[in-house]
Amino acid sequence: MLEIAKLSVSYGRVRALDAVDLTIRGEGVVHGVIGPNGAGKSTLLDAVTGRRSPTSGAVRYRGEDITRKSVAWRRRRGMARSFQRTSIFQDLTVREQLSLVARHLGDERAGDVIEVMNLGEYLDEKAGRIAYGVQRRVDVALALIGRPQMLLLDEPGAGLSAEETLNLFLHLRALVRERGIAAVVVEHDVDAVFACCDVVTVLDLGRHLATGAPAEIRADPRVISAYLGSAA
Amino acid sequence: MGARGGLLTASRAVTGRRPLVVILAVLLFALGALAPAHLVSEFVLRLGVEGLLLGMLALSVAFLMRQAGLVALGAASIYGGVGYLFAITMSEWDLSPTAALFAAFVIVIVYAAVLGALIVRTNPLAFMMLTLAAGEMVSHGVMLEGLRDYTSGADGLVVNFQGAIFGLQAADFASAPRFWPIAWSAAWVLGLAVYATGRSRFGAILRAVRENEERMRFSGFGTYLPRLIAFVFVNGVAAVAGLLHVLNSQFVSPESLGLSVSTNALVASLIGGAAGSIGPIAGGLFFAFAQDEFGAHGFTQLLTGVAIVVFIVLFPRGIVGGLIEAARRRTYLAPRRGEAP
């Protein structure tokens, strides 16, 4: 579904992403991306979703080169994302923001998202007044509206407890499988990633280190040395 | 079903007060249109007309500020500019007053669209400075020696017109008692148009763009066009106010295009309250009467400055916003979602 070819992103003289090659399969696959701070995980998501222009390389989505396409274009073609720092509309109620996006994307079944993200009791609350954990769920809900084919989530567990993160991941995995879509999840909580992802990619210093099933990644000496350490 | 079925339907409960509010509004409209001409002097009525015109201009400034988070300092260039265009299209193109009215309006809308296309993409500070620059260019442009034949330079332009506009003669527009109902009706129409636009889906999109432009783009929205449409819309409101102004005063001068008129509109919207349609119009009326009162003491600018500071500190939501808030606290009314009336 998504092919990333020799993708590089530089911030001035710093190379945040260095010729990364990666293929993300669709159809119910949750693909985790892990790595130490500064590995280029969020930059990878930014480059794929159009938030950041790559210095070189290409992004192909469902066979089409989308490297220079706008953010809004990608979203309308089914590529949605959430953010590391909650990015919602603080001054709108949960209902207002979800219905605004649902109407724009023509998603008549957007009510499903409310159930999946368990937001029913917060619909008429202004988003800025609800608990942070619920705000994170609104952020993910905004990405889920429009029945996207590819979901890219940047640290969806940030600010949540380990238990909340695991629950969110389990919910997500169930949704991805039910809808037959693909999800790429950048996350620091390695346990949640290994428990819920079908494939895991490890980045280190902007380079692709390894991709494989969770068990393979846990046992990979390069990954243990660069990131997991003795805790693995 | 619960949430599933109800998501796309806003939970606006129809309150039992709505018919009462409509009846009161109709009564207020009729009373406001007819009573002042019988109750107050022509001088007071003239001040009231000035206040309403300023209020309509403030309405345009407040809408852009509230919905798009953009402060425009060039509203007067539209307000005064459309008056110049009205006069020039009549004299140079031999248009009838009604045709000149429409021609001036269309030219201003095209100008606003071109200017907006260039500047709405910028950040709010740059936008404010660019509207100021564009406004100043227009206000100094009318004084250029090469345009003196058309604009009469710093002397201003007397706008004489023959014939009727919508059945009304020049004398009707110039007479405060006869013009007051026109200005009052226009203020209501523009106020309701601005209110309805703010409450519409377009208004919600604008507020969402103002609040989190990036999230809007990542939700599949283009963010440029809504801002451009909003900019053209508010300039349309300012142009209507400007046309009414020139019909009433039958005179335009560089002062009517200047920064002071733009800042007066901004101050009026802050004093009245920028959150809805009533606030800016009330602010315009308050400003006009306060200016007259301060002028009588000979310290217009000083007292105006003091009044602005006091109002903005004591009533950060403006007079109307403050009164609504106080009434809510007193009557334990639940705060309403969305914007103030």
Side-chain angles (χ1 to χ4, degrees):
Chain A
M1 181 175 277
L2 185 74
E3 290 169 59
I4 296 164
K6 299 270 175 277
L7 198 67
S8 297
V9 176
S10 297
Y11 300 120
R13 277 190 279 177
V14 178
R15 210 160 170 88
L17 215 55
D18 192 0
V20 169
D21 288 307
L22 194 63
T23 300
I24 310 287
R25 290 185 293 127
E27 294 167 7
V29 174
V30 180
H31 194 129
V33 179
I34 58 172
N37 285 334
K41 306 183 294 293
S42 294
T43 303
L44 176 69
L45 250 57
D46 287 350
V48 167
T49 56
R51 192 186 195 196
R52 193 78 60 188
S53 294
T55 319
S56 61
V59 179
R60 273 187 289 278
Y61 174 62
R62 296 158 115 183
E64 187 175 2
D65 187 342
I66 60 162
T67 317
R68 303 291 162 201
K69 298 289 185 188
S70 75
V71 164
W73 186 92
R74 291 173 211 228
R75 179 64 169 101
R76 290 194 291 265
R77 293 296 190 285
M79 182 185 277
R81 75 168 289 177
S82 72
F83 292 84
Q84 191 174 356
R85 295 180 67 179
T86 306
S87 181
I88 58 177
F89 305 102
Q90 303 276 337
D91 207 33
L92 300 184
T93 65
V94 174
R95 184 195 304 275
E96 282 170 338
Q97 52 197 293
L98 296 182
S99 60
L100 191 69
V101 177
R103 278 189 66 181
H104 183 67
L105 297 174
D107 186 354
E108 288 171 7
R109 291 190 293 172
D112 291 355
V113 174
I114 292 170
E115 285 182 20
V116 169
M117 299 314 297
N118 196 19
L119 290 169
E121 63 183 292
Y122 304 101
L123 285 179
D124 291 319
E125 300 280 337
K126 281 208 173 176
R129 293 188 188 150
I130 54 181
Y132 184 72
V134 185
Q135 290 187 5
R136 295 294 300 171
R137 300 212 300 264
V138 174
D139 196 12
V140 177
L142 283 170
L144 286 173
I145 284 182
R147 301 186 81 76
Q149 292 301 302
M150 167 150 278
L151 205 52
L152 299 107
L153 307 178
D154 195 354
E155 296 194 27
L160 304 183
S161 68
E163 190 186 346
E164 285 174 321
T165 303
L166 189 60
N167 277 336
L168 183 65
F169 268 66
L170 291 171
H171 260 97
L172 180 70
R173 189 172 65 177
L175 183 89
V176 165
R177 290 196 176 149
E178 181 200 319
R179 292 188 177 181
I181 63 175
V184 179
V185 185
V186 166
E187 183 57 58
H188 272 297
D189 188 335
V190 178
D191 291 335
V193 170
F194 284 140
C196 301
C197 293
D198 304 293
V199 183
V200 178
T201 288
V202 186
L203 297 180
D204 184 38
L205 296 172
R207 294 199 183 91
H208 176 258
L209 195 63
T211 293
E216 291 169 22
I217 295 296
R218 259 190 202 280
D220 190 321
R222 291 170 305 163
V223 178
I224 293 170
S225 162
Y227 182 48
L228 297 177
S230 56
Chain B
M1 286 294 278
R4 185 186 291 232
L7 170 65
L8 297 177
T9 315
S11 67
R12 263 175 228 161
V14 178
T15 68
R17 293 198 303 271
R18 184 160 291 177
L20 184 66
V21 170
V22 173
I23 291 168
L24 283 175
V26 170
L27 280 175
L28 183 66
F29 171 72
L31 205 66
L34 302 173
H38 304 286
L39 297 176
V40 298
S41 68
E42 182 159 347
F43 175 75
V44 171
L45 217 49
R46 197 161 285 286
L47 272 181
V49 164
E50 273 178 32
L52 281 180
L53 293 173
L54 181 64
M56 286 183 249
L57 190 60
L59 200 58
S60 76
V61 174
F63 180 85
L64 202 60
M65 202 157 53
R66 173 177 78 241
Q67 298 285 338
L70 297 171
V71 177
L73 286 179
S77 62
I78 300 293
Y79 182 76
V82 78
Y84 272 103
L85 286 169
F86 173 65
I88 292 168
T89 49
M90 265 194 310
S91 61
E92 298 300 317
W93 295 356
D94 288 331
L95 294 181
S96 70
T98 309
L101 214 60
F102 283 108
F105 185 79
V106 169
I107 293 168
V108 159
I109 292 299
V110 171
Y111 166 74
V114 172
L115 178 64
L118 295 172
I119 68 173
V120 295
R121 220 188 274 274
T122 57
N123 67 53
L125 180 62
F127 174 85
M128 186 171 75
M129 298 315 294
L130 287 168
T131 54
L132 172 65
E136 288 300 285
M137 279 194 290
V138 172
S139 75
H140 285 85
V142 298
M143 289 195 284
L144 288 174
E145 200 53 40
L147 295 176
R148 195 176 172 81
D149 288 346
Y150 305 101
T151 63
S152 298
D155 298 335
L157 200 58
V158 175
V159 184
N160 290 315
F161 62 92
Q162 307 293 322
I165 297 176
F166 303 125
L168 296 164
Q169 303 295 326
D172 297 320
F173 289 108
S175 151
R178 274 176 279 172
F179 187 72
W180 168 264
I182 298 169
W184 177 255
S185 305
W188 275 71
V189 170
L190 291 182
L192 287 172
V194 164
Y195 178 72
T197 307
R199 300 282 289 181
S200 68
R201 184 164 174 269
F202 175 66
I205 290 172
L206 272 180
R207 287 197 302 281
V209 170
R210 177 203 67 196
E211 204 183 315
N212 194 340
E213 185 175 355
E214 183 175 60
R215 177 43 107 179
M216 281 299 270
R217 286 192 283 115
F218 276 99
S219 298
F221 288 85
T223 57
Y224 174 70
L225 197 59
R227 276 197 185 145
L228 179 59
I229 292 170
F231 184 73
V232 174
F233 172 68
V234 299
N235 281 304
V237 172
V240 172
L243 286 170
L244 287 168
H245 170 253
V246 74
L247 289 174
N248 175 238
S249 62
Q250 296 174 15
F251 177 73
V252 277
S253 67
E255 282 80 52
S256 63
L257 295 157
L259 178 62
S260 67
V261 176
S262 295
T263 53
N264 286 352
L266 184 61
V267 168
S269 72
L270 292 174
I271 287 177
S277 285
I278 301 172
I281 293 171
L285 284 167
F286 185 89
F287 189 90
F289 284 99
Q291 284 267 294
D292 179 65
E293 184 60 29
F294 297 157
H297 293 91
F299 302 106
T300 310
Q301 298 305 325
L302 178 66
L303 291 173
T304 302
V306 171
I308 291 169
V309 172
V310 168
F311 264 102
I312 290 173
V313 170
L314 291 182
F315 299 99
R317 293 180 179 192
I319 298 171
V320 174
L323 288 173
I324 290 171
E325 196 61 32
R328 273 190 188 134
R329 262 189 251 122
R330 221 176 139 76
T331 56
Y332 302 100
L333 283 176
R336 280 171 51 189
R337 291 187 311 109
E339 62 191 57

